[in-house]
Amino acid sequence: MPSRSLSASLVVLASLLAFAPVAAQTGRDLLQPEPRAAVEAERLSLVERGDAVRVAALDRGLASVDPAVAGVRQPATEVYQYDDNVFEGFYRLVDNVTNDFLYEMEFAQRFRLPEAGTVEYAVACMARARDDTSADAAFTLSFYSGSGNVPVTLLGAFDVPARLPDAATYLCFEIGGAVTQLELNAGQVWVAVSWTRGTPSTNTKLLAVDEDGSGGRRAFRARDDEDDEWERWQVDTDPGVYGIALAVNHPDPEPEPEPDPDPTPDPTPDPGPEPDPDAGPPTGEGYTDCVPETSPLVFDGYNVRMCYETGGGTVGEAKAGIWASGESGLLWFFNRDNAEVLVKVLNGCHINNHRWVYVAPVTDLAFNLYVVDSQGRTWSHHNRQGDTASTRSDNEAFPCNN
């Protein structure tokens, strides 16, 4: 199956639903959502779905979360949610050649967990088109790890035998049951919803999308036919966020014991900026422990620093001067006519309230590259000796709120 661009593969439900008019609304009629539905969840084996065990789902009646306070700690539970419970679009994937709905499709939203915890429930908002004659809205809820642009490792999968009783409506399903047994580590987690094409194909359900929401990263993939392998994940760069949310129970940390007082304490030093946890070079065979001391590139106050180490143990610092603009530049190691790395620091504040960093190295030397903002926050990229360095992009490298 050829790669499909998102703009050619997403279908907006506005033309498929028969919405009741709203007196105070202009431009587009939207149906008010039904109350959040209770569903049952089946735990999927990571190998075979036949090992699923049916369990009762929880019905917690999750209230709307204001985007301004989304993620604020509640008693024991933190809700990770980017949408505002108002959905302007509804997506499903189609073949951009035949215009047929793909056999199976999956959409994933990324969240960042500041600490480990246990899933308390998840939310997925699904829609049924006007000409859809089936109430069956069964889908699979999956959790992945992966710190890059797309999901990587499957952590758990759950069958959700949901139903949408009325055509031209959508529901937000709060999913509990076996989902609550899943433990998540601190860091980045992807929550994904997948479902298969309906029979007939007009009975294919859709995922709700908040087109004016922002936050996190999104990706999608599909299978053309039942016996096909999944295509690789594609990054969703269109504006908006999926109708997917996650509630995690973070355990209260054990209080630190009170240390014995120091009879002659040292003066309190100036702490300076809070260091980034990824600021130090990685350890392990092939990596270099060099630390760059100069900033050959500076983009609007963001300093780019880079050092390298050859296979013979020679350590040096990257230099600039070939070509540079206000947002991008080239670095070289040994010869100013031979560029080794392209670096971009872009202002995406008007799009997702973040600065974006892109790095494209063309070297197999060990190196440590850092981008540091005015508060000392650091974004880094590293390479192991002898490995062809990978490119890297991060559309949430630095927040723009400061």
Side-chain angles (χ1 to χ4, degrees):
M1 182 178 68
S3 297
R4 297 170 173 82
S5 65
L6 185 64
S7 59
S9 304
L10 298 181
V11 178
V12 179
L13 192 60
S15 62
L16 303 175
L17 299 186
F19 292 117
V22 180
Q25 182 174 311
T26 61
R28 183 186 301 188
D29 292 331
L30 295 177
L31 188 67
Q32 295 299 316
E34 297 289 338
R36 186 159 282 139
V39 299
E40 293 181 339
E42 292 178 342
R43 179 64 183 266
L44 292 182
S45 165
L46 297 185
V47 179
E48 296 180 359
R49 297 192 179 189
D51 294 336
V53 178
R54 184 177 295 277
V55 297
L58 302 178
D59 184 4
R60 298 179 178 272
L62 176 65
S64 299
V65 178
D66 188 316
V69 298
V72 174
R73 178 65 59 85
Q74 299 176 2
T77 297
E78 189 164 345
V79 178
Y80 300 89
Q81 178 173 358
Y82 296 122
D83 67 82
D84 58 5
N85 285 324
V86 177
F87 301 103
E88 297 80 17
F90 300 84
Y91 287 177
R92 56 189 174 189
L93 294 182
V94 300
D95 188 314
N96 59 359
V97 176
T98 66
N99 288 326
D100 295 330
F101 297 125
L102 298 175
Y103 171 74
E104 188 169 9
M105 58 205 75
E106 185 169 21
F107 296 85
Q109 177 84 49
R110 193 187 76 178
F111 302 95
R112 295 176 183 265
L113 305 187
E115 54 186 318
T118 303
V119 175
E120 187 144 340
Y121 58 86
V123 175
C125 300
M126 304 291 293
R128 176 180 169 186
R130 174 180 54 80
D131 55 355
D132 188 335
T133 60
S134 173
D136 182 11
F139 59 89
T140 299
L141 181 75
S142 301
F143 296 81
Y144 299 87
S145 63
S147 59
N149 294 326
V150 297
V152 177
T153 303
L154 180 65
L155 303 176
F158 304 84
D159 266 342
V160 183
R163 294 180 63 81
L164 285 164
D166 300 316
T169 62
Y170 72 91
L171 289 176
C172 290
F173 299 100
E174 185 177 301
I175 308 155
V179 177
T180 63
Q181 305 302 313
L182 185 65
E183 296 183 357
L184 300 175
N185 293 325
Q188 298 174 6
V189 61
W190 295 79
V191 183
V193 175
S194 62
W195 65 97
T196 56
R197 180 176 58 222
T199 304
S201 61
T202 52
N203 288 350
T204 304
K205 301 303 185 284
L206 303 96
L207 176 68
V209 177
D210 180 2
E211 294 181 337
D212 56 12
S214 64
R217 292 190 177 175
R218 294 168 296 130
F220 67 93
R221 65 176 181 171
R223 292 195 294 152
D224 197 18
D225 291 305
E226 183 175 4
D227 296 329
D228 289 346
E229 297 292 330
W230 283 99
E231 290 291 317
R232 64 180 180 83
W233 288 98
Q234 297 185 47
V235 178
D236 186 348
T237 57
D238 280 7
V241 295
Y242 300 149
I244 298 174
L246 175 65
V248 179
N249 189 316
H250 295 292
D252 293 332
E254 293 293 331
E256 293 289 338
E258 290 291 335
D260 294 332
D262 188 346
T264 57
D266 296 330
T268 303
D270 182 6
E274 186 69 17
D276 190 303
D278 192 34
T283 58
E285 183 178 357
Y287 286 108
T288 176
D289 59 358
C290 70
V291 178
E293 298 179 356
T294 63
S295 300
L297 293 174
V298 179
F299 304 127
D300 194 20
Y302 290 80
N303 295 272
V304 179
R305 305 171 184 171
M306 184 179 188
C307 62
Y308 62 88
E309 182 174 348
T310 68
T314 300
V315 174
E317 298 221 354
K319 307 171 186 64
I322 302 175
W323 175 87
S325 69
E327 293 184 319
S328 62
L330 296 173
L331 296 173
W332 57 277
F333 295 165
F334 310 105
N335 186 331
R336 66 179 292 111
D337 295 327
N338 180 20
E340 303 281 357
V341 184
L342 168 65
V343 182
K344 291 185 178 182
V345 181
L346 306 179
N347 186 346
C349 298
H350 62 292
I351 298 176
N352 69 340
N353 198 34
H354 281 80
R355 299 275 182 161
W356 306 349
V357 175
Y358 294 80
V359 175
V362 283
T363 181
D364 62 355
L365 296 184
F367 66 72
N368 295 320
L369 184 150
Y370 303 94
V371 181
V372 185
D373 72 359
S374 60
Q375 300 183 47
R377 292 175 297 195
T378 303
W379 183 96
S380 63
H381 187 39
H382 311 276
N383 192 54
R384 192 197 309 264
Q385 192 70 246
D387 290 351
T388 300
S390 62
T391 61
R392 187 178 173 198
S393 61
D394 188 349
N395 289 353
E396 294 182 339
F398 298 97
C400 297
N401 55 352
N402 290 315

